[in-house]
Amino acid sequence: MNNLNILLVSPSFYPSTYYGGPIHSTYELTKALKKQDVDVRIVTTNANGKEKLEIKTDAFQKFENDLLVKYYRSLDSRGTSLSMLINLKNEILKADIVYLVSIFSPPTPFVIHYCKKQNKPLIISPRGQLGKWCLEQGNPFKKLWLHTFIQPYIKHLHWHLTSEQEQQDVLSVYPTAKTFVLPNGVSEELFSLKDKSKDKTFYNNYTGFDCSNKKIIISMGRLDKVKGFNILIESIGMIAKLVPNLPDGKAGLLRDLVLFIAGEDFGEKKNLEILIDKLALKEKVFLIGRIDGLDKIKFLRNADVFALASHHENFGMVIAEALAAGTPVIASRNTPWQDVEKQNCGKWIENTPEKFAEAITEIIKSDQTQMRNNGTNYIREYFDWDKIALELMSKINSIVH
């Protein structure tokens, strides 16, 4: 039954890495579907933040696994493309089912309208955009958008959610929504360094001093208020204040703590820099910008702890990636990662500086070898892209037939 023609519509697509985790997870999902001999096409734009992808537009081109992608010219960073909107009707006409990524983007109302008119089943993947925190903190226009463009069509839509937490977010807005939960997977390359010794000299590039004997705490994500990086910085400040009052034996590990935060600025960098100055942490906290490829894997692999203090995550791709790379994690309870406690590969805690300081201290002082092994085994078992693609195809077949 895998001869279905699936059309994936997204305002942006790989290699548009500016937009973070959803770009990578959507790309990996489509590659995994292609490996199952599924006929999948992607229509998107060349939006990539403040820039545009330097890539051929208005024609399908082949990526890895013969994945067919067509990029339309975007007029802005939101993926507003007149040529895409004009051609969506015909693109959808050729499909058996449509998979739409994003809620608050220009293609959304057009895709929903054309699918309803042509009687095409539609799956929406909101990628965290219906989270309570995101709706409360965001543009008030969002609620009008949801009422106008989504609510009238709700009985015709299917929702792919990446966690039970995200499922509850959607059902709290649309109680009658037809939902199913399938997590994101993890790219195999993230396991590539798991058997190698940690090499903390990697971080020397960002500090100007030797990190070989430091205790390395890391975090990653766009520099946005939703990510709660201020909470992490404050936790490092709390630990730094404690150190002078501890006996030498206990203070040693904590005295050498360094926090690295990787990610592109989405308006929060200046506030974080002010906080770092205020807490006198210039030698302990470093904002290193966006990193990709092998550098990203090394960044995740060579640390002692990965910490994420987000106010909301529908999935939290970086948590899975850090575990795959062999690093224990600390995740806020605003993320759907409570199982790291059960799997003994991390902590799932209240989102306060005090709790993060406590959890960081506990993991740093413990033997992390077993936690690292537990983390990689957990991700391999539950977050394999091939298994996820098979489950998604089963769901798609049931929707279509």
Side-chain angles (χ1 to χ4, degrees):
M1 301 291 286
N2 286 355
N3 56 350
L4 291 174
N5 187 308
I6 302 171
L7 177 70
L8 184 141
V9 182
S10 177
S12 54
F13 191 76
Y14 187 86
S16 177
T17 55
Y18 176 85
Y19 303 102
I23 294 293
H24 292 282
S25 56
T26 304
Y27 181 44
E28 294 296 334
L29 176 61
T30 52
K31 287 198 300 180
L33 288 171
K34 282 297 290 183
K35 283 176 67 177
Q36 305 298 330
D37 293 324
V38 177
D39 185 3
V40 56
R41 297 174 296 124
I42 296 98
V43 293
T44 184
T45 78
N46 62 350
N48 188 31
K50 298 173 185 178
E51 303 172 351
K52 301 287 188 296
L53 292 176
E54 293 184 5
I55 203 160
K56 184 180 179 182
T57 57
D58 301 317
F60 279 105
Q61 52 195 295
K62 287 185 178 181
F63 272 59
E64 188 177 341
N65 294 344
D66 290 331
L67 188 65
L68 290 172
V69 186
K70 183 188 287 187
Y71 296 86
Y72 288 99
R73 294 182 187 278
S74 180
L75 300 176
D76 57 21
S77 63
R78 298 179 63 246
T80 304
S81 171
L82 295 180
S83 57
M84 180 185 188
L85 298 181
I86 290 169
N87 285 283
L88 266 176
K89 181 178 179 180
N90 288 331
E91 299 286 8
I92 291 171
L93 194 61
K94 303 169 190 173
D96 295 306
I97 187 168
V98 179
Y99 185 104
L100 173 65
V101 179
S102 184
I103 294 290
F104 304 108
S105 68
T108 298
F110 292 86
V111 171
I112 293 175
H113 172 73
Y114 289 137
C115 283
K116 173 66 168 61
K117 194 171 182 180
Q118 298 177 22
N119 198 30
K120 303 283 186 180
L122 173 60
I123 297 172
I124 297 183
S125 179
R127 302 288 162 168
Q129 292 184 331
L130 293 186
K132 184 179 178 182
W133 195 93
C134 297
L135 292 178
E136 289 177 351
Q137 299 293 319
N139 190 322
F141 177 67
K142 286 182 176 180
K143 291 184 179 179
L144 178 61
W145 178 282
L146 294 174
H147 180 75
T148 304
F149 297 126
I150 310 294
Q151 181 65 53
Y153 300 91
I154 196 66
K155 68 180 182 180
H156 303 287
L157 307 176
H158 299 265
W159 299 78
H160 172 197
L161 298 321
T162 54
S163 67
E164 291 181 4
Q165 180 175 303
E166 187 181 25
Q167 184 181 49
Q168 291 307 309
D169 289 339
V170 171
L171 291 175
S172 68
V173 179
Y174 300 118
T176 61
K178 292 176 281 191
T179 66
F180 63 94
V181 177
L182 270 179
N184 289 324
V186 172
S187 173
E188 186 64 28
E189 65 180 351
L190 283 153
F191 297 94
S192 61
L193 301 179
K194 76 178 186 66
D195 294 323
K196 295 187 178 181
S197 300
K198 290 186 181 288
D199 179 12
K200 294 181 181 179
T201 60
F202 167 80
Y203 303 102
N204 295 359
N205 303 320
Y206 307 105
T207 61
F209 56 77
D210 185 19
C211 294
S212 299
N213 296 315
K214 303 292 184 183
K215 294 298 178 181
I216 306 297
I217 314 301
I218 60 170
S219 193
M220 178 182 285
R222 65 186 188 276
L223 302 191
D224 185 294
K225 285 184 180 179
V226 70
K227 297 299 182 181
F229 290 125
N230 59 304
I231 293 172
L232 282 185
I233 293 169
E234 288 173 21
S235 73
I236 298 300
M238 287 180 171
I239 293 171
K241 278 187 176 181
L242 283 175
V243 167
N245 302 317
L246 294 173
D248 286 345
K250 292 184 178 180
L253 291 174
L254 300 179
R255 184 180 293 117
D256 294 326
L257 222 60
V258 182
L259 169 65
F260 295 92
I261 298 173
E264 185 130 11
D265 183 24
F266 274 61
E268 187 66 3
K269 183 178 181 180
K270 186 64 178 176
N271 293 332
L272 297 179
E273 289 175 336
I274 291 170
L275 181 60
I276 291 167
D277 283 345
K278 179 183 174 182
L279 298 177
L281 294 174
K282 279 192 171 182
E283 294 298 306
K284 285 190 170 293
V285 180
F286 298 87
L287 309 178
I288 67 172
R290 191 178 79 188
I291 55 175
D292 291 303
L294 184 57
D295 278 349
K296 176 182 174 179
I297 297 174
K298 289 180 178 178
F299 177 78
L300 293 171
R301 167 62 189 162
N302 292 309
D304 294 287
V305 180
F306 181 94
L308 191 66
S310 284
H311 295 292
H312 172 77
E313 292 287 342
N314 66 295
F315 183 72
M317 194 68 203
V318 285
I319 292 288
E321 291 174 336
L323 290 170
T327 299
V329 302
I330 302 170
S332 84
R333 292 193 178 178
N334 301 319
T335 72
W337 285 94
Q338 58 268 38
D339 280 359
V340 298
E341 297 263 4
K342 184 170 67 177
Q343 300 290 336
N344 189 27
C345 55
K347 302 286 182 184
W348 191 60
I349 60 172
E350 294 296 333
N351 203 21
T352 66
E354 293 81 4
K355 290 296 183 182
F356 269 88
E358 182 183 309
I360 288 169
T361 301
E362 187 175 339
I363 291 183
I364 287 296
K365 290 182 176 181
S366 67
D367 180 2
Q368 296 158 39
T369 304
Q370 190 60 54
M371 293 184 79
R372 292 173 193 149
N373 292 335
N374 290 345
T376 54
N377 292 337
Y378 168 49
I379 296 300
R380 273 199 185 280
E381 183 174 355
Y382 292 99
F383 301 93
D384 178 80
W385 271 123
D386 292 338
K387 293 179 183 177
I388 291 164
L390 281 172
E391 290 186 50
L392 180 58
M393 277 312 303
S394 175
K395 189 64 186 177
I396 286 173
N397 278 316
S398 69
I399 291 171
V400 172
H401 298 293

